[in-house]
Amino acid sequence: MTRLIARILMGLVLVVAIGIGILLLRNSEMDRGVQALKRENGAAALASLKLLAQLGDGTAQMLVGSIYAYGWGEVRKSDADAIYWFRRLGSHGPLAAEEGADPAAPYQLMVAKAYAAGTDGVRADTSESLKWLKLAAEAGSKEAAAALQSQH
Protein backbone atom coordinates (compact mmCIF):
# COMPACT_ATOMS: atom_id res chain seq x y z
CA MET A 1 0.00 0.00 0.00
CA THR A 2 2.85 2.38 0.83
CA ARG A 3 4.42 1.74 -2.59
CA LEU A 4 1.15 2.53 -4.34
CA ILE A 5 0.83 5.84 -2.49
CA ALA A 6 4.46 6.68 -3.28
CA ARG A 7 3.88 5.97 -7.00
CA ILE A 8 0.72 8.06 -7.03
CA LEU A 9 2.55 10.95 -5.36
CA MET A 10 5.45 10.67 -7.84
CA GLY A 11 2.96 10.69 -10.70
CA LEU A 12 1.29 13.81 -9.33
CA VAL A 13 4.65 15.54 -8.90
CA LEU A 14 5.51 14.66 -12.51
CA VAL A 15 2.19 16.01 -13.82
CA VAL A 16 2.61 19.26 -11.85
CA ALA A 17 6.20 19.66 -13.09
CA ILE A 18 5.12 19.15 -16.72
CA GLY A 19 2.28 21.64 -16.27
CA ILE A 20 4.58 24.27 -14.82
CA GLY A 21 7.08 23.69 -17.62
CA ILE A 22 4.40 24.16 -20.28
CA LEU A 23 3.16 27.33 -18.60
CA LEU A 24 6.69 28.75 -18.42
CA LEU A 25 7.29 27.89 -22.08
CA ARG A 26 4.00 29.56 -23.08
CA ASN A 27 4.82 32.69 -21.13
CA SER A 28 8.34 32.79 -22.58
CA GLU A 29 7.07 32.54 -26.17
CA MET A 30 4.35 35.11 -25.50
CA ASP A 31 6.89 37.51 -24.02
CA ARG A 32 9.26 36.92 -26.94
CA GLY A 33 6.44 37.70 -29.39
CA VAL A 34 5.32 40.85 -27.59
CA GLN A 35 8.90 42.11 -27.32
CA ALA A 36 9.37 41.51 -31.06
CA LEU A 37 6.24 43.57 -31.72
CA LYS A 38 7.61 46.38 -29.57
CA ARG A 39 10.77 46.29 -31.72
CA GLU A 40 8.48 46.37 -34.78
CA ASN A 41 9.75 42.97 -35.92
CA GLY A 42 6.54 41.35 -37.12
CA ALA A 43 8.23 38.27 -38.58
CA ALA A 44 9.84 37.40 -35.23
CA ALA A 45 6.56 38.12 -33.42
CA LEU A 46 4.69 35.76 -35.74
CA ALA A 47 7.37 33.10 -35.26
CA SER A 48 6.80 33.18 -31.49
CA LEU A 49 3.04 33.69 -31.46
CA LYS A 50 1.75 31.49 -34.29
CA LEU A 51 2.46 28.17 -32.57
CA LEU A 52 0.68 29.38 -29.45
CA ALA A 53 -2.21 30.57 -31.61
CA GLN A 54 -2.39 27.21 -33.38
CA LEU A 55 -2.51 25.50 -29.99
CA GLY A 56 -5.57 27.59 -29.10
CA ASP A 57 -4.11 30.38 -26.99
CA GLY A 58 -6.67 33.19 -27.29
CA THR A 59 -4.25 36.01 -26.57
CA ALA A 60 -1.88 34.75 -29.26
CA GLN A 61 -4.78 34.37 -31.73
CA MET A 62 -5.85 37.94 -31.05
CA LEU A 63 -2.30 39.24 -31.51
CA VAL A 64 -1.68 37.26 -34.70
CA GLY A 65 -5.00 38.46 -36.13
CA SER A 66 -4.14 42.03 -35.22
CA ILE A 67 -0.67 41.76 -36.77
CA TYR A 68 -2.29 40.83 -40.08
CA ALA A 69 -5.17 43.32 -39.77
CA TYR A 70 -2.92 46.30 -39.05
CA GLY A 71 0.26 45.24 -40.79
CA TRP A 72 2.21 45.62 -37.56
CA GLY A 73 5.98 45.20 -37.68
CA GLU A 74 6.25 45.43 -41.45
CA VAL A 75 4.08 42.32 -41.93
CA ARG A 76 2.01 42.51 -45.10
CA LYS A 77 -1.60 43.27 -44.22
CA SER A 78 -3.90 40.35 -44.95
CA ASP A 79 -7.62 40.62 -44.28
CA ALA A 80 -8.11 36.91 -44.90
CA ASP A 81 -5.39 35.90 -42.40
CA ALA A 82 -6.67 38.39 -39.82
CA ILE A 83 -10.23 37.12 -40.10
CA TYR A 84 -9.02 33.51 -39.92
CA TRP A 85 -7.30 34.15 -36.59
CA PHE A 86 -10.14 36.28 -35.23
CA ARG A 87 -12.59 33.51 -36.17
CA ARG A 88 -10.45 30.95 -34.31
CA LEU A 89 -10.99 32.99 -31.14
CA GLY A 90 -14.63 31.94 -31.32
CA SER A 91 -16.56 32.23 -28.11
CA HIS A 92 -13.49 32.05 -25.86
CA GLY A 93 -12.08 35.39 -26.96
CA PRO A 94 -12.37 38.62 -24.97
CA LEU A 95 -15.04 39.98 -27.32
CA ALA A 96 -18.26 37.98 -27.51
CA ALA A 97 -20.00 37.66 -30.87
CA GLU A 98 -23.65 38.59 -31.05
CA GLU A 99 -26.14 35.72 -31.28
CA GLY A 100 -25.88 34.22 -34.77
CA ALA A 101 -22.92 36.38 -35.78
CA ASP A 102 -19.60 35.13 -37.11
CA PRO A 103 -17.10 34.91 -34.20
CA ALA A 104 -14.82 37.28 -36.13
CA ALA A 105 -17.45 40.07 -36.28
CA PRO A 106 -16.57 41.83 -33.00
CA TYR A 107 -12.86 41.81 -33.91
CA GLN A 108 -13.62 43.17 -37.38
CA LEU A 109 -15.57 45.96 -35.70
CA MET A 110 -12.62 46.56 -33.35
CA VAL A 111 -10.30 46.94 -36.36
CA ALA A 112 -12.79 49.33 -38.04
CA LYS A 113 -12.87 51.49 -34.92
CA ALA A 114 -9.07 51.53 -34.66
CA TYR A 115 -8.73 52.70 -38.26
CA ALA A 116 -11.46 55.30 -37.73
CA ALA A 117 -9.78 56.76 -34.65
CA GLY A 118 -6.14 56.14 -35.54
CA THR A 119 -5.48 53.95 -32.50
CA ASP A 120 -3.77 50.58 -31.93
CA GLY A 121 -0.65 51.73 -33.74
CA VAL A 122 -2.30 52.65 -37.05
CA ARG A 123 -3.00 55.96 -38.71
CA ALA A 124 -6.59 57.01 -39.15
CA ASP A 125 -7.77 55.68 -42.50
CA THR A 126 -11.40 56.25 -43.46
CA SER A 127 -11.43 53.82 -46.38
CA GLU A 128 -9.78 51.05 -44.35
CA SER A 129 -12.23 51.69 -41.49
CA LEU A 130 -15.19 51.52 -43.87
CA LYS A 131 -13.89 48.27 -45.38
CA TRP A 132 -13.64 46.63 -41.94
CA LEU A 133 -17.00 48.08 -40.90
CA LYS A 134 -18.62 46.45 -43.94
CA LEU A 135 -16.90 43.15 -43.15
CA ALA A 136 -18.19 43.30 -39.57
CA ALA A 137 -21.73 44.10 -40.72
CA GLU A 138 -21.66 41.26 -43.26
CA ALA A 139 -20.46 38.96 -40.47
CA GLY A 140 -23.52 39.84 -38.39
CA SER A 141 -22.47 42.76 -36.19
CA LYS A 142 -25.56 44.86 -35.48
CA GLU A 143 -23.40 47.73 -34.22
CA ALA A 144 -21.47 47.79 -37.50
CA ALA A 145 -24.68 47.60 -39.55
CA ALA A 146 -26.13 50.51 -37.57
CA ALA A 147 -22.95 52.54 -38.05
CA LEU A 148 -23.10 51.95 -41.81
CA GLN A 149 -26.79 52.87 -41.87
CA SER A 150 -26.10 56.14 -40.08
CA GLN A 151 -23.48 57.07 -42.69
CA HIS A 152 -26.07 56.98 -45.50
Side-chain angles (χ1 to χ4, degrees), residues 52-72:
L52 294 175
Q54 290 167 340
L55 293 172
D57 186 288
T59 302
Q61 290 168 340
M62 171 76 136
L63 286 170
V64 170
S66 297
I67 289 168
Y68 285 119
Y70 302 124
W72 284 342

Side-chain angles (χ1 to χ4, degrees), residues 63-135:
L63 286 170
V64 170
S66 297
I67 289 168
Y68 285 119
Y70 302 124
W72 284 342
E74 303 299 317
V75 169
R76 184 184 56 80
K77 286 176 24 175
S78 170
D79 300 348
D81 287 331
I83 292 168
Y84 170 81
W85 288 107
F86 291 152
R87 194 168 282 141
R88 296 240 352 223
L89 277 160
S91 61
H92 70 273
L95 302 177
E98 299 170 35
E99 185 74 27
D102 182 326
Y107 301 96
Q108 292 166 325
L109 179 61
M110 174 191 73
V111 172
K113 288 177 178 180
Y115 276 116
T119 59
D120 290 341
V122 295
R123 288 191 181 116
D125 185 329
T126 306
S127 63
E128 196 70 14
S129 176
L130 184 59
K131 176 184 76 175
W132 282 95
L133 199 58
K134 288 177 181 175
L135 287 169

Side-chain angles (χ1 to χ4, degrees), residues 24-37:
L24 290 173
L25 179 62
R26 181 255 180 216
N27 289 346
S28 173
E29 286 301 304
M30 181 66 68
D31 185 55
R32 195 171 298 150
V34 169
Q35 292 304 317
L37 276 177

Side-chain angles (χ1 to χ4, degrees), residues 34-55:
V34 169
Q35 292 304 317
L37 276 177
K38 287 180 180 178
R39 292 188 312 274
E40 297 185 17
N41 186 342
L46 285 175
S48 291
L49 297 171
K50 253 190 177 174
L51 177 61
L52 294 175
Q54 290 167 340
L55 293 172

